[in-house]
Every structure is written in structure tokens, then in C-alpha cells.
Amino acid sequence: MFWGTYSQSTNFFKRKSTDLRQDEYRKSHIFKEPDTLPISSCGLREGVSMPSLLSIRDSYQVAESLARADLMTSPAARRRLQARRIELGLGEHPGFVPPKHLLLYLVRMGSFSSSPKILNEDSQDDDIDLPSRMPKEELLAYCSKELDGTPQIIPRRFRENFSYFQPKSTDFYPPLSDKSGVRVLQWNLLSQSLGVNNDHFVCCTEDALDWKRRRNLLTQEIVRYSPDIICLQEVDHFKYLQKALGSQGYVGHFFPKPDSPCMYIADNNGPDGCAIFFLADKFELIQTETRILEVWKVQSNQVALLANLRNRFTGKELCVATTHLKARKGALLAALRNEQGKDLLDFISRHSEGRAVILCGDFNAEPSEPVYSTLTTDMGLRLGSAYATATGEPPYTTWKIRQEGEICHTIDYIFYSKNKMRVTDVLEFPTGNEVGKDRCPSLRYPSDHFSLVSDLYPQSITSAL
């Protein structure tokens, strides 16, 4: 039923204008398709000495062509070239590497500004006073009361669990009964500061982005699936999550971006970053590790957060990591993401120490991009995608309408150690009709990305891949 409905909605993508509201927006604004690299609208981060923006633009265009040519080289040709270089004593070729001045721009692209940072604290949720522990039904009822008079959150169901469907926003899926299993939730929450000020969701109402309303929908979406482990990106209200999820027994850890674009917005609530939460009565924390991801030996503005956990019931240990890779289209940025993926694999390999791995995140890359292949072909960690294993990658994990038009991509993933774990269930995605013509975020869904949820169990020795 889901795939049929999705197939019926494919004609939607052929329209240049999505509906009358977007047409009206285009008529009332001077609309230009954005450049791949909108340099004209960017300044330079304070304290960074770099060439002129025109010079960077010229360098970018050349580098984009070279990166595209590099990406088009077949794997077999790459192997032959590498073998020949080694035979000649030249060492391995690292592939295309941008010039240093362009690389310094690329790793901060999106957070560059001539304005000073505004160092606000995470204090916009001081009005929230929740008990340290409360039943799940009470928390969901509290959120529903705060949302009184507005549409219910989009209902969703697990692929295998057909016996239970959520008719009301106060209902929830029961936790896994088998303590050896792990239910993991992955979600880019949408930074509040960026969503309101930078993302330009042209079909999203102001009410849908109101934080005091939106935070309750975020809580409902997370809590109703009863996850054991939660991996989040674009977190800029960590203290709220500590309060809301803490009331359900979760313990959280947060690592911000070093130069978060949120910090240049006047009403920011602190930097955005990645977070991991886990149920303290099921898992014991062994250690946490953080990493500012590097590309061609230069630190980027993207981070990774890792937690090694021990299951209190089985004694089994698990490595959980989350990240949010660089956004934007183009061969050069795809190459940059691939370098971030390599650095991420090295980081996880150093700290997982043979444990089963769960890697979640917004990778800003379709399955056709090099970084997806890099992650899923690594012979050390042997990662597979939970959704690809269960159903095939979903048709989209983000669906929104911005000034440049409709954006519908699969860029969020739950990766797992396929030789040590097995997938038993995944959360299905809403259909186009359920999402609605204005897409997301909306009054019925609080982010431009959809959450991913998967149930994972230890892989038996006899069936290990």
C-alpha cells in the first residue's frame, strides 16, 4: 500500500511549482536559482586571512570539474593507476585534493560570517518543569495538552508489527521485550535557530516553527517508539531534551560543532551539534569519545560523537556513533563528504575495539554517493544499512519545499555491524498524501527530516555473514 501510494505521487516531482502558495511566493519575490556556491552572500569568518571571494569562486569552478572527473574514474581504472604509481615508486595517489585556500573555505562554508559570534546560553527552556521520572503515558498526555487545538502528529507504523497502529498521539509502541535487542532511533531534529532564520521553508507556517509548540511534537515523535538508543543531529536545545527524555530514564551526551552557524543568529540558543541518549536502566556507559572530522588533514565544521555501552542484562558491549556530514550538492562536496566518511571510519575503528557498531546520522549523501560505498564496503567494520537490509533504502528521508523548489532525498541512515547484528524490523515512512502538499516541517511534523527506527539483535554465530 505504501509503495502504491508513493508511485501515484511521483507526478508531483515533475511540477516546477508545487502549489498556489509557492507560485504566489515566487511572484512576490525576486527569485533566482541559487549558485552551487553562493559566495556573493557569504563573508569571511573573523580572523581568517584568505584570497578574494572572486578568486575562491574561480578556484571552486576548476576544482568542481576536477572532482567530477575524479569521481567518474572507474574503480578498476583507479586500481590500475594506483598499481602503476606504486610500481614506479611514487606511492599511492590520494585522489583529487583541493588547493589549500579553497579547502579552508569549503570546510567552513555555511558558517562563514563577518559578524561576531553571539554566545548565548542554552536557556530558552527554563520554563519547563518536568518530574525527574514520569510514566510515558503522562509525558505524552502533557505534550498533547500543550498541543491542544492543533493537528495530531503523522501516524507511522513498523513494517512487521501490523497488530499495533497509533490512532492517538498519546499511544506508543511497547519497548522490546527481549533485552538482548536494541531499538535505535536516528533523527535530524532541525535546529530551531536555523529552521526559523536560515532554511527558508516557503510553504511552512510560522506556527509550525514556533519552538514552544514544536518541542512537544519532537518529544512525541521520539518517545512514542520506545527506543533504547537515540541519535540526534542539529540539536540546539539539548537542555530541553535532557529534561523531557530524562523523565523517561534516558541519559544524554552532546557535542557541538566548533563553528556552528547558529552562533551568528541573534536569538540563538547556543550551537547545534550531535547528541546520543540511551536508557540508563538498560545500558551502562563505558566511555564517550568525540571527533572534529578532518578532510585532507584539515579540520572541518562537522563532528562525530561516540559512546561505548554495556547491556546491563546480557553484558554485551556496543559502540554507538552519530554524525552530521557536510551539506550542499556537487562533485567537490561529495568528495569532501567521502573524506569525512574515511575519517569517521578511522575514528570508530580506534574506539570500537571489536564491539558491534551502530552508526547513525544525517550523511547528506544519496546511496549513489561515494561516502555511502566507503562506509558499506569497509572490511574492518563491515557496516550495512538497516533499511537497505530490511526493505531497501526508503524513497526519501527528507522532504521539504525551499525557495529553489522541492527537495526530496534519501540522506539519513542507520548503519550496523552486519556480521554481528541482524535487523528484525524498521519503522515505515509516511506516504506523500500523509505528509501533505506543503511537505515538512508542518503542523503535523516538526522537522524537515523523518526519524528512522530499527530493531537490531545479536547475530548468531551460525548465521553471521
Side-chain angles (χ1 to χ4, degrees):
M1 179 173 127
F2 168 77
W3 291 105
T5 307
Y6 177 73
S7 176
Q8 294 167 10
S9 69
T10 54
N11 288 333
F12 186 93
F13 296 100
K14 298 178 181 178
R15 294 181 295 172
K16 184 175 181 181
S17 299
T18 57
D19 53 36
L20 290 176
R21 290 179 59 186
Q22 191 173 1
D23 286 336
E24 291 170 359
Y25 181 90
R26 289 173 180 266
K27 291 175 183 177
S28 61
H29 291 69
I30 299 174
F31 184 83
K32 295 181 180 179
E33 293 294 335
D35 295 332
T36 305
L37 181 64
I39 291 177
S40 59
S41 63
C42 298
L44 292 176
R45 187 166 60 90
E46 189 176 24
V48 175
S49 176
M50 298 179 68
S52 70
L53 295 179
L54 288 177
S55 173
I56 293 176
R57 181 188 290 276
D58 291 341
S59 296
Y60 183 91
Q61 292 172 347
V62 173
E64 175 68 14
S65 298
L66 291 172
R68 189 178 297 115
D70 190 64
L71 289 176
M72 290 173 66
T73 304
S74 70
R78 287 178 192 275
R79 288 193 294 270
R80 289 195 299 269
L81 289 171
Q82 292 285 25
R84 184 59 175 158
R85 285 181 61 87
I86 293 171
E87 181 182 340
L88 295 173
L90 300 176
E92 292 191 9
H93 191 275
F96 172 73
V97 180
K100 190 66 173 286
H101 72 279
L102 179 59
L103 179 56
L104 290 172
Y105 182 87
L106 290 173
V107 297
R108 287 290 191 264
M109 190 173 68
S111 61
F112 273 124
S113 175
S114 58
S115 303
K117 287 185 178 181
I118 302 169
L119 303 177
N120 293 344
E121 294 184 358
D122 185 348
S123 61
Q124 294 179 7
D125 299 291
D126 290 347
D127 60 312
I128 294 292
D129 184 21
L130 295 173
S132 59
R133 292 299 296 264
M134 62 191 300
K136 191 171 298 180
E137 297 89 341
E138 289 185 15
L139 178 60
L140 291 172
Y142 167 85
C143 292
S144 294
K145 183 178 179 182
E146 293 292 305
L147 294 165
D148 188 38
T150 62
Q152 278 191 180
I153 193 167
I154 296 173
R156 298 172 67 184
R157 67 187 304 164
F158 281 89
R159 185 194 62 165
E160 299 296 337
N161 191 356
F162 293 111
S163 62
Y164 184 81
F165 188 69
Q166 297 168 298
K168 298 182 297 188
S169 58
T170 53
D171 289 342
F172 60 89
Y173 284 95
L176 295 179
S177 57
D178 186 342
K179 300 301 183 182
S180 68
V182 179
R183 177 171 293 164
V184 58
L185 180 146
Q186 149 59 29
W187 199 14
N188 179 328
L189 298 181
L190 174 61
S191 156
Q192 180 65 17
S193 294
L194 299 180
V196 171
N197 295 281
N198 287 22
D199 281 323
H200 307 297
F201 299 118
V202 298
C203 293
C204 178
T205 65
E206 289 186 10
D207 288 348
L209 291 176
D210 176 72
W211 174 246
K212 291 194 174 181
R213 180 189 180 282
R214 199 167 79 88
R215 64 189 179 187
N216 293 286
L217 279 177
L218 292 170
T219 303
Q220 283 184 339
E221 176 70 354
I222 295 171
V223 170
R224 64 176 171 164
Y225 304 123
S226 302
D228 299 306
I229 295 170
I230 303 164
C231 294
L232 306 172
Q233 302 81 46
E234 289 199 27
V235 174
D236 62 354
H237 281 258
F238 181 67
K239 286 187 177 179
Y240 170 75
L241 295 170
Q242 280 186 309
K243 291 180 182 179
L245 299 179
S247 73
Q248 302 303 297
Y250 292 96
V251 173
H253 295 266
F254 172 68
F255 188 49
K257 295 175 183 174
D259 193 27
S260 167
C262 296
M263 302 302 290
Y264 301 96
I265 297 172
D267 60 349
N268 76 75
N269 191 55
D272 77 303
C274 296
I276 294 176
F277 286 83
F278 59 89
L279 282 175
D281 62 357
K282 183 169 183 177
F283 293 101
E284 174 188 1
L285 178 66
I286 300 171
Q287 70 185 98
T288 60
E289 300 289 343
T290 60
R291 173 76 174 172
I292 299 174
L293 296 177
E294 292 187 0
V295 292
W296 298 292
K297 300 182 180 180
V298 173
Q299 280 192 343
S300 68
N301 197 30
Q302 281 64 53
V303 300
L305 174 62
L306 178 150
N308 285 327
L309 307 173
R310 181 180 296 110
N311 188 315
R312 296 181 186 273
F313 297 92
T314 67
K316 294 285 187 180
E317 295 185 3
L318 178 67
C319 176
V320 180
T322 187
T323 193
H324 186 184
L325 299 189
K326 185 67 182 174
R328 297 185 188 270
K329 298 179 181 179
L332 184 53
L333 271 298
L336 186 148
R337 278 188 289 275
N338 195 37
E339 293 301 311
Q340 290 182 326
K342 294 175 184 177
D343 193 51
L344 178 64
L345 287 174
D346 289 343
F347 169 65
I348 296 173
S349 297
R350 286 197 307 272
H351 298 292
S352 58
E353 298 178 334
R355 299 177 178 91
V357 171
I358 296 175
L359 169 60
C360 301
D362 174 357
F363 293 83
N364 273 307
E366 294 272 8
S368 58
E369 272 205 24
V371 67
Y372 184 94
S373 176
T374 294
L375 293 172
T376 56
T377 59
D378 180 77
M379 296 307 295
L381 295 180
R382 301 187 68 182
L383 299 176
S385 165
Y387 275 80
T389 299
T391 62
E393 296 293 4
Y396 45 80
T397 62
T398 180
W399 201 350
K400 52 209 163 199
I401 302 174
R402 285 180 170 157
Q403 290 177 356
E404 61 266 32
E406 186 160 16
I407 300 169
C408 186
H409 296 303
T410 299
I411 57 177
D412 307 270
Y413 306 97
I414 297 174
F415 296 110
Y416 71 104
S417 296
K418 59 186 180 182
N419 61 322
K420 297 178 180 178
M421 308 186 82
R422 57 189 173 89
V423 181
T424 62
D425 210 349
V426 291
L427 184 69
E428 293 191 336
F429 281 70
T431 65
N433 290 335
E434 290 170 332
V435 173
K437 64 183 178 64
D438 293 337
R439 307 317 182 197
C440 293
S442 68
L443 290 172
R444 299 192 66 206
Y445 204 79
S447 175
D448 57 329
H449 291 248
F450 296 98
S451 66
L452 289 73
V453 184
S454 179
D455 292 347
L456 301 167
Y457 283 85
Q459 180 75 273
S460 64
I461 297 175
T462 56
S463 62
L465 299 177

